[in-house]
Amino acid sequence: MANEAYSDLLSRYEDLLRGERYDFEERITTSLDDYVQRSQDSKKQSTGWGCPRVRISMPELRSLDPELSHRLRNDPLRHLRALEAACHNIASESRPGYDKENVKVKVALAGPVGAAASSPRNLTSSSLRQLVCVEGVATKVSAIKPKVVKSIHFVPNTKQHHTREYVDATDPQLGLQAIDGSGRELPDRIINITTSVYPTKDNDGNNMETEFGLSTYKDHQTITLQEMPEKAPMGQLPRSVDLMLDHDLVDRIKPGDRVQIVGVYRALATSANGQSTSSGVFRTVVLVNSIQILGRDISHLSFSSNDVHAIRSLAKRKDILSILGRSFAPSIHGHDMIKKALCLQQLSGCEKNLENGTHLRGDINVLMVGDPSTAKSQLLRSSMSVAPLAVSTTGKGSSGVGLTAAVTSDPDTRERRLEAGAMVLADRGLVCVDEFDKMGENDRVAIHEAMEQQTVTIAKAGIHASLNARCSVLAAANPVYGQYDRKRRIQENIGLPDSLLSRFDLLFVVLDQLDADTDRKIATHVIRGHRFRNGNIRSGYDSDDDNFDDESDDENDNDESPSHSIWQRSHNVVESDYALSQAHDDDGPHSSDILQHEFLRKYLHFAKTRINPTLTEEAREAIASGYAEIRSRQDDRTLPITARSLETVIRLASAHAKARLSHTVEAEPDVSTAMNILGFALYHETNMDAVQSTESQMKRPQVSDVGETDDEISPAKRTRYEDENDDMDENLNKDMESIEGMVKERVLRIAEADDIPMSEICPGITDRDAVQSVLAQLEKKNVVMISDDVVMRIS
């Protein structure tokens, strides 16, 4: 079978595409119509519409013919040529004459090719000449240049035209057998690399003139794909691989994009400037076949029905922010208000894009300044362990272009390239900058635009570009004099310009208090942390995500199994603090426990992505009056309070509403909590008794439903859930006689946080594609969640 004739291989693929299971013929026709429409629309015509491309997924081919798909993976270039020829035959029947301009349909293979997508680190010599699926971040993007495919030359003396075709090291046809006019392979003719020198004379020595208008070119672009920062092993540099893009695939990736690439991994015998290598070490590239832009949600968190039910039950507690705060970094003593602020930073506010083009950021920027050895860097590491996407850097080891973007020169082609920096790579994520005060003044100016407008504009070396940098900034810095001088103004201690400080929503001054009682509590906390430290901790990671499972687990919850429990006993709690919390909260079953680290990440991710609260009229009035009050209290001892402080209150209040899973921002407790945190950051209060007493007076309800499985929900409780959700969005109850109405009616009958197989939703409807389409729309509206053909009701 390995030496199967090309004609037989072509007929097998043609029979496979003509099957009715996946309707490939309609896909081919649709791709041709889309290509014609793009070509005729002069307004949308741009670089990269080189040819029509039909998308075929590898799982579809594997289900139809496993043996053929396996051979396609191991010998992709030969099989791709046969597959594209089969698509061309089908396209010629449905749309005769579509290739009159020498344009032929191409195939885009969708991944993953194997069990899962790999990274550039996994591409080794065993992957050469095979079909690979790679995920990564685009760091360098070259300019688009035309590459000659066929040149036509005219000889004035003989009045004749000469044609010449060119094949370089990146051509997919390289190394294959040539095909004659009848479609048969010629074993004695192998397609080899042709010289790149333009001919100037014919065989008789006559001068030749190049007809540039009649010659054929294709668009070509080179991109460097780097390993994702969160997937790189600790202590090792991320690996990268070069991508070769041709035809319609160019100009689809910009620096900072996370993409999934399917292509052929190949070794080049020549360098970029055409010189052959003699060292035995070859340059490797990926000849791209298809591109899929990945979203920013790379957390890969899977939510079960128990998780959704536990999240919604926990959100009903009035002290939810206190629970998240003490679970955020349990290995660090104190800093309760800072931990709450960092939890709100993970949740972020609501991003707004107005109709006039104004962009209002929703990300919260936090700066911590204080004495050494006050756990500032450890708080940064804890934020990185919780955030789905986080990029870490230091002030001394980072330059302005390293944080934003840089224009570099390719060493091989000497062309200019745009290289993304840390803030661009952390788009929709978190950037942690330690030793912020060590950064040079010129480098700090470069991040002004990225922190407020959340874009990076480049205008240098003939390149004008604007990149997205929609990320939160968490920075830590030391005072100018080493230790914080309480006799000096805060501006004199920080040593940063007001234009930069105003871009930080919250600025916390962390002081080393000389108090014997506080020192004893800190020492006891640290010693207990070493005593109960898990021995399986990897080097370089904080111990906040440890699951302290020891003999005391049996004492935590006798009615909850460890697999379903969202709580864990905090061994870092001092006995006096534990007794005090028990005295204040006798009705709280987990008044001193903390959340499991993985569940904390799930809760924050669920609240951030699923909830988009809006301001109520009472909240607007509370924010306006609170802003006027803090403006009136401004003096020389505080930082300047500007209109950005007003937006800070809105962002903090929206983040607190997300923590409660509320779709509205209320004056109490959202705006009041935001004002408390902002007041603590502005006036540097050290006595939080008022805030703690306010939280302790709120009676916390019993949460007996946390960890309850779906089988344990009583019928009466299911009826109550159904009755509470009868008044859901009125759009879901329209057109009940149609397929859409029947599906939505069935979804309404699902209890909240319950799940059923997709096959059990309206089994009488034969058009399952229509059912899946309606469910996909409901998933976009955050009504249901679909995972492994299971539909889960979430709101």
Side-chain angles (χ1 to χ4, degrees):
M1 296 296 294
N3 297 325
E4 183 179 4
Y6 176 77
S7 57
D8 298 337
L9 192 62
L10 176 62
S11 62
R12 288 188 63 181
Y13 276 114
E14 193 167 344
D15 295 340
L16 186 143
L17 294 177
R18 294 183 185 276
E20 299 180 355
R21 181 174 179 182
Y22 292 108
D23 205 0
F24 289 116
E25 294 185 72
E26 184 178 352
R27 295 190 196 178
I28 297 174
T29 305
T30 303
S31 65
L32 293 177
D33 296 339
D34 293 343
Y35 169 74
V36 173
Q37 183 65 29
R38 291 195 302 263
S39 301
Q40 293 177 352
D41 193 351
S42 59
K43 295 182 179 179
K44 295 183 179 180
Q45 187 175 2
S46 60
T47 306
W49 303 122
C51 59
R53 191 175 294 266
V54 58
R55 190 175 184 86
I56 300 176
S57 67
M58 289 297 294
E60 293 174 348
L61 294 178
R62 194 179 300 115
S63 62
L64 294 175
D65 194 337
E67 185 266 339
L68 192 62
S69 65
H70 180 71
R71 293 171 54 196
L72 170 62
R73 180 180 177 181
N74 294 327
D75 190 12
L77 296 178
R78 186 169 181 265
H79 282 254
L80 272 175
R81 183 170 65 173
L83 181 57
E84 292 178 352
C87 292
H88 171 68
N89 295 338
I90 297 176
S92 300
E93 296 176 3
S94 59
R95 297 291 188 272
Y98 88 96
D99 58 339
K100 58 183 179 181
E101 296 181 0
N102 198 21
V103 175
K104 292 186 177 182
V105 64
K106 292 189 175 295
V107 175
L109 296 176
V113 176
S118 60
S119 66
R121 185 177 297 273
N122 300 331
L123 295 180
T124 58
S125 59
S126 60
S127 304
L128 289 174
R129 292 190 60 84
Q130 290 188 358
L131 194 68
V132 295
C133 180
V134 189
E135 289 182 353
V137 183
T139 55
K140 297 180 181 179
V141 178
S142 69
I144 302 173
K145 292 188 175 181
K147 179 182 290 187
V148 63
V149 177
K150 183 176 65 175
S151 62
I152 297 179
H153 308 272
F154 176 70
V155 182
N157 294 338
T158 60
K159 306 296 182 181
Q160 293 181 351
H161 286 84
H162 295 268
T163 303
R164 182 173 180 180
E165 296 184 352
Y166 298 86
V167 177
D168 62 352
T170 62
D171 197 297
Q173 307 292 331
L174 179 64
L176 300 179
Q177 297 178 357
I179 299 178
D180 58 6
S182 60
R184 294 180 301 176
E185 288 184 333
L186 303 177
D188 55 341
R189 288 188 56 188
I190 304 297
I191 301 177
N192 295 319
I193 299 177
T194 60
T195 179
S196 59
V197 180
Y198 247 42
T200 57
K201 295 183 179 180
D202 60 0
N203 297 332
D204 298 332
N206 299 318
N207 294 328
M208 300 174 63
E209 299 178 355
T210 303
E211 297 287 352
F212 293 98
L214 300 178
S215 301
T216 305
Y217 303 88
K218 65 178 180 180
D219 295 323
H220 180 74
Q221 189 179 26
T222 303
I223 291 178
T224 300
L225 190 72
Q226 191 180 86
E227 189 177 11
M228 293 185 182
E230 66 274 5
K231 294 185 178 180
M234 180 63 64
Q236 298 187 25
L237 294 176
R239 304 286 177 84
S240 60
V241 64
D242 290 336
L243 308 179
M244 299 294 174
L245 282 68
D246 294 324
H247 300 292
D248 60 314
L249 297 178
V250 302
D251 202 22
R252 292 180 55 184
I253 302 177
K254 61 180 183 296
D257 283 348
R258 293 170 177 265
V259 296
Q260 183 184 86
I261 298 296
V262 176
V264 182
Y265 191 51
R266 166 180 280 187
L268 302 184
T270 58
S271 60
N273 54 12
Q275 298 178 357
S276 59
T277 179
S278 58
S279 62
V281 179
F282 301 94
R283 178 191 177 199
T284 54
V285 298
V286 175
L287 307 182
V288 179
N289 178 264
S290 70
I291 299 173
Q292 180 182 357
I293 306 295
L294 300 178
R296 292 296 171 180
D297 181 15
I298 44 81
S299 57
H300 302 297
L301 294 175
S302 59
F303 293 86
S304 63
S305 59
N306 290 330
D307 294 332
V308 177
H309 183 67
I311 288 172
R312 294 200 169 274
S313 300
L314 186 64
K316 298 177 182 178
R317 299 185 59 155
K318 296 182 179 180
D319 62 337
I320 179 60
L321 186 59
S322 298
I323 297 175
L324 297 177
R326 69 169 180 259
S327 303
F328 185 77
S331 64
I332 300 174
H333 179 269
H335 303 315
D336 296 334
M337 195 63 74
I338 299 179
K339 292 179 182 179
K340 294 178 183 179
L342 295 181
C343 289
L344 295 181
Q345 184 187 35
Q346 298 286 341
L347 294 169
S348 73
C350 298
E351 180 184 0
K352 297 180 179 63
N353 294 307
L354 305 182
E355 296 180 356
N356 59 1
T358 304
H359 171 77
L360 300 178
R361 64 179 173 95
D363 298 303
I364 301 173
N365 301 325
V366 179
L367 173 63
M368 294 182 293
V369 179
D371 298 329
S373 184
T374 51
K376 298 189 300 295
S377 299
Q378 290 298 321
L379 287 172
L380 262 66
R381 297 174 66 86
S382 299
S383 295
M384 291 184 59
S385 65
V386 173
L389 171 60
V391 176
S392 176
T393 182
T394 58
K396 195 65 177 178
S398 301
S399 60
V401 294
L403 287 173
T404 55
V407 177
T408 60
S409 179
D410 192 298
D412 294 331
T413 61
R414 295 183 180 180
E415 66 178 7
R416 298 291 184 179
R417 283 187 175 185
L418 194 59
E419 186 172 356
M423 302 187 73
V424 178
L425 295 179
D427 188 27
R428 300 295 187 188
L430 175 69
V431 174
C432 297
V433 185
D434 203 358
E435 305 295 339
F436 192 68
D437 56 306
K438 307 300 188 300
M439 187 181 300
E441 183 176 355
N442 295 332
D443 299 331
R444 283 199 299 261
V445 173
I447 68 175
H448 280 203
E449 178 195 7
M451 290 185 63
E452 189 62 34
Q453 280 72 37
Q454 295 194 315
T455 57
V456 174
T457 304
I458 293 295
K460 58 178 68 173
I463 296 179
H464 300 269
S466 180
L467 306 178
N468 288 326
R470 299 161 294 186
C471 59
S472 301
V473 178
L474 176 59
N478 291 323
V480 176
Y481 306 100
Q483 294 283 341
Y484 191 87
D485 190 353
R486 294 167 174 80
K487 298 180 181 179
R488 296 179 180 271
R489 297 170 56 246
I490 184 173
Q491 290 88 342
E492 298 176 1
N493 279 281
I494 296 177
L496 298 176
D498 290 343
S499 60
L500 181 60
L501 293 179
S502 64
R503 284 170 166 80
F504 284 100
D505 297 286
L506 297 173
L507 190 150
F508 293 104
V509 177
V510 189
L511 301 179
D512 186 7
Q513 301 290 344
L514 299 178
D515 182 68
D517 190 21
T518 304
D519 294 341
R520 182 176 296 277
K521 289 182 178 180
I522 294 176
T524 306
H525 187 92
V526 173
I527 293 172
R528 291 177 66 87
H530 282 276
R531 175 185 174 188
F532 294 101
R533 184 177 295 274
N534 190 351
N536 296 327
I537 303 174
R538 292 176 294 172
S539 176
Y541 285 84
D542 198 4
S543 61
D544 292 340
D545 57 348
D546 298 340
N547 186 4
F548 299 106
D549 291 331
D550 54 9
E551 65 278 359
S552 64
D553 282 337
D554 297 333
E555 304 174 1
N556 286 347
D557 298 294
N558 296 328
D559 56 342
E560 295 185 36
S561 61
S563 58
H564 292 155
S565 176
I566 64 173
W567 302 95
Q568 70 179 20
R569 174 64 59 83
S570 177
H571 295 290
N572 294 319
V573 178
V574 184
E575 285 81 353
S576 59
D577 295 342
Y578 181 78
L580 183 61
S581 63
Q582 290 292 332
H584 287 176
D585 301 296
D586 294 334
D587 57 346
H590 303 285
S591 57
S592 62
D593 291 345
I594 61 176
L595 297 175
Q596 296 275 1
H597 181 76
E598 192 65 20
F599 181 79
L600 175 64
R601 298 183 68 232
K602 289 182 179 181
Y603 188 96
L604 295 175
H605 182 73
F606 186 92
K608 179 179 181 179
T609 57
R610 298 282 178 175
I611 308 299
N612 189 19
T614 57
L615 289 172
T616 60
E617 189 63 31
E618 294 78 5
R620 295 190 186 99
E621 295 178 358
I623 292 174
S625 59
Y627 173 69
E629 181 183 354
I630 60 176
R631 284 275 292 182
S632 62
R633 293 177 57 189
Q634 179 181 358
D635 53 21
D636 294 338
R637 306 293 298 178
T638 63
L639 290 173
I641 300 175
T642 62
R644 286 174 177 163
S645 303
L646 178 62
E647 296 182 355
T648 298
V649 179
I650 299 176
R651 281 189 282 265
L652 292 175
S654 301
H656 191 269
K658 286 184 177 182
R660 298 187 300 110
L661 300 187
S662 174
H663 293 281
T664 57
V665 180
E666 304 290 344
E668 185 68 36
D670 299 326
V671 178
S672 61
T673 303
M675 294 303 300
N676 286 335
I677 295 177
L678 182 60
F680 178 81
L682 286 175
Y683 305 111
H684 319 298
E685 301 170 1
T686 57
N687 185 8
M688 295 183 295
D689 293 339
V691 178
Q692 293 176 351
S693 62
T694 302
E695 295 177 353
S696 62
Q697 292 174 0
M698 298 179 182
K699 184 177 180 181
R700 288 179 277 190
Q702 296 280 348
V703 189
S704 59
D705 294 338
V706 176
E708 185 179 38
T709 60
D710 296 334
D711 297 335
E712 297 171 349
I713 299 177
S714 61
K717 190 178 295 183
R718 289 182 184 271
T719 305
R720 176 167 57 85
Y721 286 155
E722 295 172 3
D723 293 340
E724 290 175 355
N725 290 278
D726 285 340
D727 297 330
M728 208 181 68
D729 191 3
E730 295 179 358
N731 295 328
L732 300 180
N733 295 322
K734 294 181 180 179
D735 198 11
M736 301 301 294
E737 296 179 356
S738 63
I739 295 178
E740 182 178 2
M742 295 172 62
V743 174
K744 292 179 179 180
E745 182 186 15
R746 179 64 183 92
V747 170
L748 281 174
R749 296 202 304 268
I750 305 175
E752 189 172 322
D754 199 0
D755 55 3
I756 63 173
M758 188 182 298
S759 58
E760 296 183 6
I761 296 182
C762 303
I765 299 178
T766 57
D767 191 358
R768 304 307 299 176
D769 293 338
V771 176
Q772 294 180 3
S773 177
V774 176
L775 292 175
Q777 295 177 4
L778 294 178
E779 187 178 20
K780 290 182 180 179
K781 296 179 180 180
N782 294 331
V783 178
V784 298
M785 180 186 298
I786 303 176
S787 177
D788 297 333
D789 292 334
V790 175
V791 181
M792 183 191 311
R793 173 81 177 277
I794 61 176
S795 66

